[in-house]
Amino acid sequence: MPLIENGRIGEDAWSFIPDGEPVPNDRPVIISFERWQAERDSFEGRNARLGVRLKSGTLAGAIAADLDRFSLVAVEFPKFRDGRGFSTARELRERYGYTGEIRAVGHVIPDQYLYLVRTGFSSVEAPEGTNPESWANALTEVTIAFQPSLDDTAPLSLLRRKLKVG
């Protein structure tokens, strides 16, 4: 699947290793959170980068104590209308100070891309056959926001500014 970074197709050095398959030590891999819980000790001393894949219902706090061991956190979106992943990314960045890559995987669409970036995602695993222009355009289609973001690039709407107190 193509990887979208900064609105463009990027190179993906990572491989997702399904549960039960051997984990190579010579390249960056992503493992499931469930595998991490069951086999955490076997990854001690690993030289290659390690990523973890969270299901949409897994809270960011579940991996907070181990974030320094992950170069990438992949957050699943089982359906495009499931917004829990947005909260997970924002919590990883704001509450836990995670600075590594946060990747959206699963059913995401270009219309969500700007909001993914605003909540802390660095990359998106897009569906095969995706139109790269639709992802790039999504970053510039909305120029005013109602809610503040991590990057604060879009000005807040007039309504939001009038409601702001303090």
Side-chain angles (χ1 to χ4, degrees), residues 13-31:
W14 293 85
S15 300
F16 176 69
I17 308 300
D19 293 348
E21 288 190 19
V23 177
N25 284 320
D26 61 343
R27 60 188 162 109
V29 297
I30 303 168
I31 59 170

Side-chain angles (χ1 to χ4, degrees), residues 21 28 34 38 40 51 56-57 64-65 81 92 100 111 114-115 153 165:
E21 288 190 19
E34 294 75 19
R40 123 188 304 128
S56 63
R81 65 180 180 258
L92 285 169
D111 290 353
L114 178 63
Y115 304 105
T153 55
V165 287

Side-chain angles (χ1 to χ4, degrees), residues 14-155:
W14 293 85
S15 300
F16 176 69
I17 308 300
D19 293 348
E21 288 190 19
V23 177
N25 284 320
D26 61 343
R27 60 188 162 109
V29 297
I30 303 168
I31 59 170
S32 71
F33 174 64
E34 294 75 19
R35 185 174 199 165
W36 170 252
Q37 288 180 302
E39 302 174 23
R40 123 188 304 128
D41 292 341
S42 69
F43 297 104
E44 197 68 45
R46 179 182 168 79
N47 290 328
R49 295 180 298 163
L50 183 65
V52 66
R53 184 171 175 147
L54 304 179
K55 289 192 162 96
S56 63
T58 305
L59 300 176
I63 62 165
D66 297 318
L67 281 174
D68 60 330
R69 304 217 16 216
F70 302 121
S71 299
L72 178 145
V73 176
V75 180
E76 288 184 16
F77 284 79
K79 302 257 186 236
F80 78 91
R81 65 180 180 258
D82 185 342
R84 293 176 287 181
F86 293 98
S87 300
T88 299
R90 189 155 190 154
E91 192 173 11
L92 285 169
R93 297 279 190 224
E94 289 184 343
R95 180 177 283 180
Y96 301 111
Y98 183 68
T99 58
E101 180 178 349
I102 301 177
R103 179 178 294 185
V105 298
H107 195 240
V108 290
I109 57 176
D111 290 353
Q112 296 172 307
Y113 188 42
L114 178 63
Y115 304 105
L116 290 164
V117 171
R118 288 177 54 83
T119 56
F121 284 92
S122 359
S123 62
V124 176
E125 194 176 273
E128 287 296 336
T130 196
N131 177 0
E133 284 183 30
S134 62
W135 294 90
N137 291 339
L139 290 176
T140 58
E141 286 179 342
V142 178
T143 58
I144 295 177
F146 185 75
Q147 76 281 5
S149 74
L150 295 175
D151 63 7
D152 284 329
T153 55

Side-chain angles (χ1 to χ4, degrees), residues 3-23:
L3 183 69
I4 306 292
E5 294 178 296
N6 301 317
R8 295 188 269 322
I9 301 256
E11 217 30 63
D12 189 2
W14 293 85
S15 300
F16 176 69
I17 308 300
D19 293 348
E21 288 190 19
V23 177

